[in-house]
Amino acid sequence: MITGTITKSDHLYAMRFHGARWTRWCYIACGVAIVIGLLLYVSNALDLGLVIASAAGAGAVSQYLVAILYIPWQVSRAHKQRKEFNTPLTYSWDANSLEVQSAAGTWKREWTNYIKYKEDDRLFLLYLSDNLFEMVPKSWFRDQEQIAEFRELAVHVGKKQSSDL
């Protein structure tokens, strides 16, 4: 059993961890498009090259602004709206299910309800769908043995995705 409160910092980190793969691909695609645009520009396709490079540069800048402005604002807003984030959550588990208790109530889900999980050195994300997840910060666990016990059950859900951040 573990208990903790989801902080804004945990929530922001989880959102960035969740979106890390998309963000990385966005930057790669923008970088490739910038290179293609510049190659077209220097090979006398001035207008097309300039348009492609400019659009890709704007895409990269937009992604960066989303990461540093929009996502923190969104997390702050969600954190204010979701009262359970400001009260302690108690997680307990067995081989069949994960149970969560809070001031808002109790819910229990079988491990088979989760379609995938992600893990890095700071937290677990347990996915109920592609964009809906539960975050479990590792700082809530008492020791590495308890983390290993939790991981052993989580690895059997859907498909595991390694650290993306």
Side-chain angles (χ1 to χ4, degrees), residues 108-115 127-129:
K108 185 175 187 175
R109 290 193 180 96
E110 292 184 14
W111 288 105
T112 56
N113 288 358
Y114 298 102
I115 63 167
Y127 285 83
L128 292 160
S129 68

Side-chain angles (χ1 to χ4, degrees), residues 13 16-22 24 116 118-120 127 161-165:
Y13 185 85
R16 287 183 172 154
F17 182 44
H18 165 70
R21 177 174 288 157
W22 161 254
R24 184 172 39 255
K116 65 182 176 181
K118 287 185 182 182
E119 174 188 1
D120 72 354
Y127 285 83
Q161 295 189 351
S162 62
S163 172
D164 285 337
L165 195 61

Side-chain angles (χ1 to χ4, degrees), residues 14 17-18 116-118 123-127 133-135:
F17 182 44
H18 165 70
K116 65 182 176 181
Y117 94 99
K118 287 185 182 182
L123 56 78
F124 290 97
L125 296 181
L126 300 169
Y127 285 83
F133 58 82
E134 291 180 36
M135 62 188 106

Side-chain angles (χ1 to χ4, degrees), residues 14-158:
M15 290 298 289
R16 287 183 172 154
F17 182 44
H18 165 70
R21 177 174 288 157
W22 161 254
T23 300
R24 184 172 39 255
W25 279 108
C26 181
Y27 285 133
I28 290 170
C30 288
V32 168
I34 288 170
V35 169
I36 290 170
L38 292 175
L39 289 173
L40 287 170
Y41 185 80
V42 298
S43 66
N44 287 334
L46 302 178
D47 292 341
L48 180 61
L50 190 58
V51 168
I52 291 173
S54 297
V61 169
S62 296
Q63 180 63 37
Y64 179 74
L65 291 175
V66 164
I68 66 164
L69 297 175
Y70 178 71
I71 291 176
W73 171 79
Q74 182 185 42
V75 165
S76 180
R77 185 170 176 234
H79 211 78
K80 289 175 188 171
Q81 292 174 344
R82 297 198 53 192
K83 302 302 181 202
E84 69 267 18
F85 283 168
N86 298 310
T87 61
L89 300 170
T90 300
Y91 283 74
S92 57
W93 57 87
D94 60 28
N96 298 317
S97 61
L98 178 65
E99 184 173 348
V100 183
Q101 295 178 349
S102 76
T106 301
W107 61 94
K108 185 175 187 175
R109 290 193 180 96
E110 292 184 14
W111 288 105
T112 56
N113 288 358
Y114 298 102
I115 63 167
K116 65 182 176 181
Y117 94 99
K118 287 185 182 182
E119 174 188 1
D120 72 354
D121 61 336
R122 188 167 165 182
L123 56 78
F124 290 97
L125 296 181
L126 300 169
Y127 285 83
L128 292 160
S129 68
D130 287 337
N131 290 313
L132 180 63
F133 58 82
E134 291 180 36
M135 62 188 106
V136 184
K138 289 185 176 180
S139 61
W140 296 2
F141 293 86
R142 72 175 172 266
D143 56 25
Q144 289 298 319
E145 184 177 308
Q146 194 177 32
I147 291 172
E149 174 190 337
F150 189 86
R151 181 185 299 116
E152 180 61 32
L153 295 168
V155 296
H156 297 293
V157 305

